Amino acid sequence: MEVIFVLIGISLAMAGGFLWLFFKAMKGGQFDDQHTPAMRILFERKTHKKHTTNKKTPKNTK
């Protein structure tokens, strides 16, 4: 029966360690998507692209 308690303690410690490593990897940017933004320019639809100009449009003042 004592072996069960030891194994539960070890498994909880291992689970906590893996959880800590996961959050450390997330904070360090391990899972950031670096591939998709580079590929997005190749597959961009031209119909949804809006061109903005820096020219001021005249206001209708009456």
Side-chain angles (χ1 to χ4, degrees):
M1 191 69 178
E2 295 171 5
V3 174
I4 296 291
F5 294 125
V6 171
L7 289 176
I8 289 174
I10 291 171
S11 66
L12 287 175
M14 286 180 63
F18 285 127
L19 188 64
W20 178 75
L21 286 173
F22 174 73
F23 283 124
K24 184 178 176 184
M26 288 293 294
K27 187 176 180 180
Q30 178 73 30
F31 300 108
D32 287 346
D33 187 12
Q34 299 292 327
H35 182 69
T36 302
M39 296 297 291
R40 189 176 299 149
I41 190 98
L42 298 175
F43 301 110
E44 186 175 288
R45 295 185 207 164
K46 296 185 185 222
T47 58
H48 292 280
K49 190 175 180 181
K50 292 183 180 180
H51 295 285
T52 59
T53 59
N54 292 334
K55 297 179 182 178
K56 293 183 180 179
T57 56
K59 295 181 180 179
N60 293 334
T61 56
K62 292 184 181 181

